Amino acid sequence: MVATSTLKTKSSERISDLVDRRSDQSCIEKELDFWDPCLAESHRNADVAEDRTCQQLAKMFENCLSRAKKTTLHCSSVLVPEKLTRRIAVEVLRLASCEPCGLRGCVLYVHLEQEKGCKRLERIVYDATVVPTFELTLVFKQDGTAWPSLRDFFFMGTCFAPSFRHVLKLSPGFRLVKKKLYSSSAGTVVEEC
C-alpha cells in the first residue's frame, strides 16, 4: 500500500474531527454531569415541599376532627384508620394540582356522613389572602360495623352526659367533591375513595 500526502491530510483531518467530536462529547458529558445533580436536587426539593404540604394537610384534618369531637360530634374520642388523613391529603393535592392557584385557591368543607345525613364539621380556607378558585367537600364516612364500646355500658347512670359517652369510628373510605368556582362549564368532580 502506498501512502500519499493527500491521504495523510484527509486522514489527519478526519482524526482531528473525531478528536474534536470526542472532546465536544466529553464537554457535553461533563456539562450534563454538572447539571444532573442540580436537576435532581430540584426534584428532591419539590418532593420534600410536597411531602411537607401533605403532612400539614393531614395535620389540619386531624385537628379538625379533634375540634369537632368536642363541639359538633359530642363524643369522647374519634378513631381514625391509620394513614387515612395522609391518603386524603394526597388526593386533595392531586385535585389542586391542575388549578390556577393550586392548593392556595382552595376552600375545603369537611363533613361526616352519618345514618341521619351529613353533618358539617368545619370550613377550612388554606390561604385567606387568595381568592378561592375551587371548593372541595370532604366527606368522612362513619364505620357502620363498629360495635358499641363496652365502656359505654359501664358508664350508664354516671355523671357523664349520654352524648359524651360514645366513641366514633371512621371508615377508611371517604368522598371528595370538587367544584370549580371560576368556570361555569367546568361542572363537578366526585371521587369516592
Side-chain angles (χ1 to χ4, degrees):
M1 180 169 176
V2 178
T4 64
S5 64
T6 55
L7 185 60
K8 278 186 182 177
T9 307
K10 286 184 180 178
S11 294
S12 63
E13 286 174 359
R14 287 187 180 159
I15 291 172
S16 67
D17 286 344
L18 288 174
V19 169
D20 286 344
R21 281 191 208 140
R22 283 188 187 144
S23 69
D24 287 344
Q25 184 68 26
S26 69
C27 285
I28 290 170
E29 286 175 3
K30 285 179 184 176
E31 285 291 319
L32 289 175
D33 288 343
F34 173 78
W35 288 108
D36 277 347
C38 296
L39 294 173
E41 184 67 27
S42 153
H43 287 295
R44 278 193 295 266
N45 289 341
D47 290 343
V48 166
E50 186 174 319
D51 190 51
R52 188 175 302 130
T53 304
C54 195
Q55 288 174 355
Q56 289 172 343
L57 266 176
K59 189 69 175 165
M60 286 173 69
F61 297 138
E62 291 166 8
N63 291 339
C64 170
L65 289 170
S66 179
R67 285 187 298 272
K69 85 176 178 185
K70 297 171 189 162
T71 58
T72 312
L73 300 173
H74 305 292
C75 61
S76 58
S77 62
V78 177
L79 300 177
V80 181
E82 187 178 1
K83 298 183 182 177
L84 174 65
T85 56
R86 174 81 176 180
R87 283 183 28 238
I88 294 170
V90 167
E91 287 300 312
V92 166
L93 285 175
R94 186 182 63 77
L95 290 172
S97 66
C98 59
E99 291 298 318
C101 298
L103 187 59
R104 294 176 58 227
C106 178
V107 175
L108 187 70
Y109 296 97
V110 182
H111 296 270
L112 173 67
E113 187 175 84
Q114 297 176 318
E115 299 96 25
K116 304 170 193 169
C118 277
K119 184 179 265 193
R120 183 174 170 180
L121 303 181
E122 197 167 313
R123 177 182 184 263
I124 300 171
V125 178
Y126 193 78
D127 187 347
T129 64
V130 176
V131 175
T133 57
F134 70 106
E135 292 176 345
L136 285 177
T137 303
L138 166 63
V139 182
F140 285 107
K141 297 180 178 183
Q142 189 173 351
D143 190 353
T145 63
W147 282 58
S149 169
L150 286 176
R151 202 172 44 184
D152 290 345
F153 294 114
F154 294 127
F155 279 126
M156 288 184 185
T158 64
C159 62
F160 295 110
S163 60
F164 277 97
R165 282 193 235 146
H166 73 283
V167 174
L168 177 69
K169 184 177 178 187
L170 296 180
S171 165
F174 61 92
R175 184 172 53 243
L176 271 172
V177 180
K178 178 180 178 180
K179 179 181 174 190
K180 293 187 178 197
L181 301 176
Y182 60 90
S183 174
S184 60
S185 64
T188 304
V189 177
V190 178
E191 300 232 352
E192 287 277 340
C193 299

